[in-house]
Amino acid sequence: MAENRHVLIIDDEPQIRRFLRISLVSQGFRVSEAATGGEGLARALNEAPDLVLLDLGLPDMDGQAVLDGLRSGSAVPVIVVSVRGHEAEKVRALDRGANDYVTKPFGIQELLARIRSLLRRHGEPGEGPALTRYRRADLVIDLAARRVTHGDSPVHLTPKEYAVLDRLARHAGRVVTQTQLLRDVWGPTHAHDTHYLRIVISKLRHKLGDDPQSPHLLQTEAGIGYRLLVEPEAATEQ
């Protein structure tokens, strides 16, 4: 899958860029680099990469502004790779369109796994209609049919429970912030009513057979949001 996939690294630290380039090339990726935000935006426009690794501490402009620039005309997957580990910084980046956030120092195998997963979910350009079926083991979420099954049994969800699951599935593997979920499902006037969301998440875990003490399906990113760990499958698969 990595063959011919193009990753753009935007980071002002030469040693980090070199480390990432060596690691990515060894996995079959094509790599280009930018040391500033301005150069990164120009390369993203001219080269149309398949994924961007973005540092926030750039010399000419803040990485959040680079993210805004990327999102103004592109849906390219973006993983923020930054030393800034504060929850507020992560929430800000995710709310502005980052697909994932990795804090430096990081493990290269974890980063490579996140890159592969994100590219797998994003798919190849022009490969067909958006996927609407997601699976993990015997759990199947069929958004087109508005049906959730666990094994051979249907999972009965309330409208709010289904709406939250729908949002999480459409961003499978990606952290969706609490604010984003509350605005999408309950409306902008409830953007800070996190207790509503906690109740629905608890009920979803119970109905989907997830362990609330050690969830493997619907994971919490403390103070930030939630991540649903399912994989897309072709709509023709039954």
Side-chain angles (χ1 to χ4, degrees):
M1 184 201 74
E3 186 176 359
N4 292 325
R5 303 307 292 270
H6 175 197
V7 177
L8 170 61
I9 303 167
I10 307 177
D11 196 302
D12 65 327
E13 298 183 56
Q15 64 272 29
I16 294 291
R17 295 200 308 274
R18 181 175 181 274
F19 172 65
L20 288 172
R21 172 183 280 277
I22 291 172
S23 300
L24 290 165
V25 169
S26 73
Q27 298 297 309
F29 291 97
R30 292 187 296 115
V31 177
S32 59
E33 304 175 19
T36 67
E39 182 187 1
L41 288 172
R43 283 189 174 273
L45 178 64
N46 295 327
E47 299 174 4
D50 295 298
L51 183 140
V52 175
L53 297 177
L54 173 64
D55 182 32
L56 296 182
L58 299 168
D60 60 331
M61 57 194 300
D62 189 80
Q64 299 279 7
V66 177
L67 182 56
D68 288 342
L70 291 169
R71 282 291 167 259
S72 67
S74 172
V76 61
V78 178
I79 299 179
V80 172
V81 183
S82 176
V83 71
R84 302 179 190 173
H86 297 299
E87 287 180 2
E89 197 76 44
K90 293 182 181 180
V91 170
R92 187 178 169 211
L94 292 165
D95 274 342
R96 291 171 94 149
N99 296 79
D100 208 343
Y101 196 112
V102 176
T103 304
K104 297 177 182 177
F106 53 86
I108 189 60
Q109 293 305 318
E110 178 187 356
L111 179 60
L112 288 170
R114 294 194 186 201
I115 290 171
R116 288 191 294 266
S117 179
L118 186 52
L119 287 174
R120 187 163 58 246
R121 294 193 304 275
H122 196 260
E124 295 283 358
E127 68 178 4
L131 297 174
T132 58
R133 283 172 58 91
Y134 300 85
R135 175 186 293 273
R136 179 171 178 129
D138 58 355
L139 173 70
V140 177
I141 303 168
D142 189 334
L143 300 182
R146 292 183 63 86
R147 182 174 62 240
V148 181
T149 56
H150 195 195
D152 295 326
S153 303
V155 179
H156 299 288
L157 303 175
T158 67
K160 284 289 192 290
E161 290 165 359
Y162 181 84
V164 170
L165 186 65
D166 177 285
R167 269 47 168 205
L168 291 169
R170 292 183 189 278
H171 298 83
R174 169 182 169 182
V175 177
V176 184
T177 65
Q178 297 178 27
T179 300
Q180 183 178 343
L181 286 168
L182 287 164
R183 284 176 176 164
D184 288 351
V185 176
W186 281 271
T189 59
H190 295 283
H192 302 291
D193 294 333
T194 56
H195 59 288
Y196 291 167
L197 185 56
R198 286 197 299 270
I199 291 170
V200 167
I201 292 294
S202 176
K203 290 182 176 179
L204 278 173
R205 283 178 174 146
H206 175 72
K207 292 184 178 182
L208 300 177
D210 205 11
D211 182 355
Q213 301 304 317
S214 182
H216 62 277
L217 174 68
L218 212 175
Q219 296 186 336
T220 300
E221 295 288 336
I224 300 173
Y226 299 93
R227 187 194 306 263
L228 184 66
L229 298 180
V230 292
E231 292 290 341
E233 62 177 20
T236 55
E237 291 181 12
Q238 298 294 333

